[in-house]
């Protein structure tokens, strides 16, 4: 391997990029959708679409929690915001947590279809639904991403010039290389930022060395010092809670106009109950924000914690940059676009690996090459098909169906596996050129996305024209995005199909598209 | 690899990938280097983070956070260095010796 620095970096870029590319594409694509997680959840619960935006009646939420979860270890009350009209209550008891969306005025739970909504993409993009094991896998992929990015810069000699170079008409591998370079260089700071901040969010899981040395591995001691966060043990003596509404009002006085994001009650109903009121973080970069803590039974002020320590603030701002809770919907669209650029960078990189080796009989006849071809199609096009299926399932499964949120997920993963099976079988047994399989699956995704507005119009009352005439962009935006994705994918599928037809004459089983 | 024109460079990029593939038939070397980068790199990063957490002249929680945030940069550098090192053995030796030194210094300090 050892020939020169840039050659070893080339090797690293090629192989680490290939090996982690499939996983990284899934992480980046679902992460990109997560930018609009609240909007996706809202869209996937059309029952919410005629709920008006009203401020939360905090005490009504508290009464509902007292009725539903008097024995809980902890309660959460999430206040509504501009992105969603719904308030959510949540409680944890014996290691499980339950949540309900409530009416902001009456505090009564709303009857909504069960769905994981945007939360699914959010959870998947950082732990693949595998809990802490998944967090480690995603962490490994993120480290690989950082190494591959730096290696990519090292091997890329003409970084500025290539920014203005795109030769779609040139030979196939040169066009793919240009596409890879453009999507990489165009948003390079974003690629670094989003990967690095993703790792920094989970520093205490990935790199607990400091906690081991300074706190003997006790995370609670760290939080006690960093956030003045100390919770007493439960006494098991019953004591009524004071009015949460009064405490929430009192807390806001410390924030110079800052609004409340959530109220957390630990040991509700116990004489050691504590009430934490958290400030919203959408008016600032830093994610972890000011907190006011009260004694739950007397209402006495316990702690006013303001995020002010430099290192803590830095970590909090880095996390905030990743979570993008600040700013407006314009900024979220910008993140969405950059996230798509990152996904496209990974996808074109994967394609490039295959295209580079095309026409070499020794390389293309191996099982490994065919596996890569199949995995590429399923990882990129298959994921698009599965995502569209997830939205279809949300609209087509009956709203009252028991465990329908799991069926939505099952359909997502079943369709994704079927796409992988389709790609591998076609490639191995039918010797179908991979361009054809790409075209088929992209056409499938195009059709599924393109028809979603029609499915939506048939199954809900908030169809495109209705939403547009009412100026409800949070609903109409989905239909319009689906249409644009459908058209874009259809165009790509058509182009691939044409190039497959042009290059796969019966006498030429190995398409050589290079012009040079 | 001093190519003159841009086009040649692009071409050489492909041929290089191919040549380096043929020269990495020794999978033991490759595995050893990957091991040095991932495990050796993590060990060094862990030791370095522990040492920085102990030595930075900041409040305890601030030192821990600062060291932990830097750790991901150190790990990236360690991985790249392990791949750039002359031989895998050299990568292992340097990574492990510096890990040992940093751990020793941390133990002495705390």
């Amino acid at each position: 391997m050892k020939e020169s620095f840039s050659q070893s970096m080339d090797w690293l870029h090629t192989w680490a990029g290939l090996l982690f590319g499939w996983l990284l594409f899934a992480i980046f694509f679902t992460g990109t959708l997560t930018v609009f997680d609240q909007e996706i959840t809202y869209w996937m619960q059309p029952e919410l679409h005629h709920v008006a935006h009203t401020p939360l009646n905090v005490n009504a939420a508290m009464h509902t929690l007292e009725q539903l979860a008097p024995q809980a270890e902890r309660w959460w009350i999430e206040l509504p915001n501009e992105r969603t009209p719904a308030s959510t209550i949540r409680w944890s008891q014996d290691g499980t947590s339950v949540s309900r969306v409530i009416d902001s005025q009456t505090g009564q739970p709303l009857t909504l279809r069960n769905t994981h909504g945007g939360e699914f993409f959010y959870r998947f993009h950082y732990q693949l639904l595998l809990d802490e094991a998944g967090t480690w896998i995603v962490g490994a992929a993120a480290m690989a991403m950082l190494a591959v990015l730096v290696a990519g810069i090292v091997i890329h000699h003409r970084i500025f010039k290539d920014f203005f170079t795109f030769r779609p008409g040139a030979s196939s591998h040169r066009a793919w290389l240009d596409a890879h370079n453009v999507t990489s260089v165009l948003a390079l700071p974003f690629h670094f930022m989003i990967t690095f901040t993703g790792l920094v969010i989970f520093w205490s899981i990935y790199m607990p060395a400091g906690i081991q040395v300074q706190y003997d591995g006790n995370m609670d001691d760290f939080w006690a010092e960093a956030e003045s966060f100390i919770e007493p043990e439960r006494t098991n003596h019953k004591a009524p809670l004071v009015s949460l509404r009064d405490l929430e009002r009192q807390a806001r006085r410390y924030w110079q106009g800052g609004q409340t994001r959530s109220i957390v009650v630990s040991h509700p109903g116990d004489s050691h109950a504590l009430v934490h009121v958290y400030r919203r973080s959408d008016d600032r970069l830093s994610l972890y924000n000011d907190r006011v803590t009260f004694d739950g039974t007397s209402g006495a002020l316990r702690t006013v914690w303001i995020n002010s320590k430099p290192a803590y603030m830095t970590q909090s701002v880095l996390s905030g940059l990743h979570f993008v809770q600040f700013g407006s919907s314009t900024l979220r669209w910008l993140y969405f676009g950059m996230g798509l650029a990152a996904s496209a960078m990974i996808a074109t990189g994967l394609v490039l690996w295959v295209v580079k080796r095309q026409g070499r009989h020794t390389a293309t006849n191996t099982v490994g090459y065919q596996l890569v071809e199949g995995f590429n199609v399923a990882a990129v096009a298959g994921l698009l098909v599965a995502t569209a299926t997830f939205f279809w399932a949300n609209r087509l499964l009956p709203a009252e169906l028991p465990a329908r949120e799991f069926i939505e997920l099952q359909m997502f993963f079943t369709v994704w596996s079927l796409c992988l099976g389709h790609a591998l079988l076609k490639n191995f047994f039918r010797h179908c050129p991979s361009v054809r399989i790409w075209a088929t699956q992209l056409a499938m995704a195009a059709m599924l996305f393109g028809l979603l507005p029609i499915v939506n119009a048939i199954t809900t009352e908030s169809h495109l024209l209705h939403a547009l005439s009412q100026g409800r962009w949070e609903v109409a935006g989905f239909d319009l995005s689906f249409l644009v994705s459908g058209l874009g994918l259809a165009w790509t599928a058509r182009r691939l199909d044409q190039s497959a037809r042009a290059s796969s004459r019966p006498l030429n089983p190995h398409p050589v598209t290079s012009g040079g | 690899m001093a190519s003159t024109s841009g086009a040649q460079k692009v071409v050489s990029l492909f041929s290089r990938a191919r040549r380096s593939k043929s020269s990495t038939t020794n999978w033991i070397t490759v595995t050893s280097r990957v091991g040095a980068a991932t495990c050796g790199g993590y060990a060094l990063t862990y030791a370095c983070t522990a040492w920085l957490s102990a030595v930075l002249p900041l409040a305890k929680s601030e030192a821990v956070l600062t060291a932990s945030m830097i750790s991901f940069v150190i790990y990236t550098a360690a991985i790249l260095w392990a791949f750039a090192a002359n031989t895998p053995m050299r990568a292992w030796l340097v990574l492990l010796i510096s890990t040992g030194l940093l751990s020793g210094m941390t133990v002495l300090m705390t």
Side-chain angles (χ1 to χ4, degrees):
Chain A
M1 179 197 305
K2 186 62 222 148
E3 274 147 21
S4 77
F5 180 60
S6 102
Q7 271 162 290
S8 43
M9 290 299 107
D10 193 346
W11 189 92
L12 178 65
H13 187 81
T14 304
W15 294 100
L18 176 72
L19 213 59
F20 284 95
W22 301 308
L23 181 58
L24 280 170
F25 181 84
I27 293 168
F28 270 82
F29 183 72
T30 52
T32 303
L33 294 177
T34 303
V35 170
F36 291 116
D37 59 342
Q38 294 190 36
E39 287 78 4
I40 291 176
T41 309
Y42 178 73
W43 185 85
M44 290 179 82
Q45 294 186 315
E47 296 81 5
L48 267 179
H49 292 189
H50 35 75
V51 170
H53 280 259
T54 43
L56 174 68
N57 179 344
V58 177
N59 279 355
M62 176 179 147
H63 290 311
T64 308
L65 277 164
E66 276 169 344
Q67 282 163 10
L68 292 177
Q71 304 292 324
E73 287 135 26
R74 200 181 289 254
W75 292 346
W76 286 264
I77 302 172
E78 312 272 350
L79 278 67
N81 59 44
E82 289 74 27
R83 295 173 65 192
T84 170
S87 311
T88 308
I89 53 171
R90 204 148 46 91
W91 61 91
S92 67
Q93 198 168 346
D94 309 321
T96 54
S97 104
V98 187
S99 71
R100 292 270 183 283
V101 178
I102 55 167
D103 183 290
S104 293
Q105 277 182 317
T106 64
Q108 288 307 306
L110 294 168
T111 330
L112 304 171
R113 63 183 65 193
N114 286 326
T115 179
H116 288 289
E119 180 91 3
F120 162 58
F121 297 114
Y122 169 64
R123 295 232 171 262
F124 185 84
H125 101 282
Y126 77 87
Q127 53 178 215
L128 314 171
L129 312 188
L130 298 174
D131 298 328
E132 198 165 318
T135 314
W136 277 99
I137 298 171
V138 173
M143 279 313 304
M145 179 81 176
L146 279 185
V148 169
L149 278 175
V150 179
I153 294 173
V154 172
I155 60 174
H156 198 116
H157 310 274
R158 322 182 307 147
I159 202 153
F160 184 73
K161 236 174 160 182
D162 274 353
F163 182 64
F164 301 98
T165 314
F166 184 47
R167 295 160 287 189
S171 73
S172 147
H173 65 222
R174 209 162 293 170
W176 281 111
L177 185 64
D178 288 346
H180 185 58
N181 289 341
V182 165
T183 47
S184 308
V185 179
L186 191 69
L188 191 62
F190 176 83
H191 303 333
F192 270 112
M193 179 279 284
I194 210 74
T195 314
F196 179 70
T197 54
L199 287 161
V200 164
I201 291 167
F202 289 111
W203 68 272
S204 63
I205 293 180
Y206 297 145
M207 195 43 69
I211 301 287
Q212 288 298 339
V213 168
Q214 291 285 35
Y215 298 92
D216 294 324
N218 191 336
M219 207 56 216
D220 289 343
D221 289 354
F222 171 82
W223 293 125
E225 193 185 315
E227 288 191 352
S228 323
F229 194 88
I230 302 162
E231 288 203 326
E233 292 285 310
R234 185 182 267 274
T235 59
N236 289 323
H237 293 298
K238 278 189 186 294
L241 263 182
V242 291
S243 157
L244 292 184
R245 174 174 36 200
D246 294 344
L247 298 186
E248 191 261 339
R249 274 194 199 145
Q250 225 176 306
R252 267 189 278 144
R253 278 191 228 136
Y254 295 95
W255 298 333
Q256 293 96 33
Q259 296 298 307
T260 306
R261 183 183 77 212
S262 62
I263 302 164
V264 182
V265 184
S266 48
H267 314 317
D270 190 87
S271 64
H272 269 178
L274 277 187
V275 177
H276 309 283
V277 185
Y278 287 90
R279 180 184 172 142
R280 260 165 74 165
S281 50
D282 52 2
D283 58 347
R284 45 188 53 200
L285 285 176
S286 90
L287 184 69
Y288 307 118
N289 261 306
D290 309 351
R291 181 188 85 240
V292 184
T293 301
F294 302 95
D295 189 300
T297 51
S298 69
L301 180 69
R302 293 286 279 273
T303 331
V304 179
W305 183 79
I306 308 273
N307 183 353
S308 60
K309 294 175 182 167
Y312 189 95
M313 181 61 106
T314 308
Q315 199 269 340
S316 185
V317 167
L318 289 174
S319 309
L321 283 175
H322 192 97
F323 270 78
V324 63
Q325 299 296 302
F326 58 91
S328 58
S329 60
T330 316
L331 189 81
R332 272 191 288 278
W333 275 108
L334 195 65
Y335 262 66
F336 188 78
M338 306 257 226
L340 287 183
S343 312
M345 165 182 78
I346 299 163
T348 50
L350 288 169
V351 171
L352 202 51
W353 190 95
V354 167
V355 172
K356 264 190 204 172
R357 286 156 185 78
Q358 228 165 42
R360 285 192 219 148
H361 288 251
T362 46
T364 51
N365 279 342
T366 59
V367 177
Y369 181 85
Q370 289 182 318
L371 274 179
V372 170
E373 279 189 315
F375 274 126
N376 279 358
V377 182
V380 180
L383 179 59
L384 297 176
V385 177
T387 304
T389 313
F390 184 62
F391 293 130
W392 272 68
N394 176 263
R395 285 299 189 255
L396 292 184
L397 292 172
E400 312 78 32
L401 192 69
R404 69 184 299 291
E405 71 271 33
F406 295 107
I407 304 178
E408 282 179 10
L409 288 189
Q410 271 173 1
M411 294 188 74
F412 176 89
F413 287 109
T414 309
V415 167
W416 202 4
S417 319
L418 285 176
C419 286
L420 178 63
H422 167 253
L424 291 178
L425 288 177
K426 275 277 201 186
N427 207 346
F428 275 108
F429 296 108
R430 308 290 299 277
H431 300 292
C432 184
S434 64
V435 188
R436 274 276 167 78
I437 313 171
W438 273 102
T440 313
Q441 292 201 6
L442 286 176
M444 188 76 191
M447 196 186 72
L448 288 172
F449 274 115
L451 291 179
L452 261 172
I454 295 171
V455 177
N456 183 45
I458 296 169
T459 53
T460 68
E461 289 145 26
S462 42
H463 59 82
L464 181 57
L465 295 176
H466 183 252
L468 273 179
S469 67
Q470 292 194 327
R472 304 191 46 183
W473 288 100
E474 68 277 20
V475 180
F478 275 85
D479 279 343
L480 292 173
S481 307
F482 290 144
L483 280 175
V484 171
S485 327
L487 288 174
L489 290 169
W491 180 81
T492 317
R494 209 179 119 81
R495 272 208 65 163
L496 287 176
D497 191 53
Q498 282 168 347
S499 85
R501 269 170 218 280
S503 59
S504 70
R505 304 265 147 68
L507 286 174
N508 181 9
H510 291 286
V512 182
T513 42
S514 78
Chain B
M1 189 66 54
S3 18
T4 44
S5 78
Q8 266 177 336
K9 246 172 207 170
V10 174
V11 172
S12 72
L13 203 72
F14 297 115
S15 53
R16 213 188 292 152
R18 191 183 189 186
R19 193 182 327 142
S20 57
K21 193 191 162 214
S22 62
S23 63
T24 46
T25 39
N26 187 353
W27 281 100
I28 296 167
T29 333
V30 176
T31 315
S32 173
R33 204 181 279 272
V34 170
T38 52
C39 303
Y42 188 81
L44 171 69
T45 313
Y46 197 95
C48 197
T49 310
W51 177 70
L52 279 175
S53 298
V55 81
L56 283 176
L58 298 166
K60 249 173 33 172
S61 71
E62 290 284 284
V64 168
L65 268 174
T66 309
S68 305
M69 285 188 281
I70 297 171
S71 74
F72 302 107
V73 180
I74 299 171
Y75 195 11
T76 310
I79 291 173
L80 293 170
W81 185 80
F83 277 95
N86 270 323
T87 63
M89 189 50 83
R90 194 181 138 89
W92 273 111
L93 274 178
V94 173
L95 287 171
L96 289 184
I97 288 172
S98 37
T99 304
L101 282 177
L102 284 164
S103 312
M105 270 150 60
T106 315
V107 170
L108 287 179
M109 290 209 50
T110 51

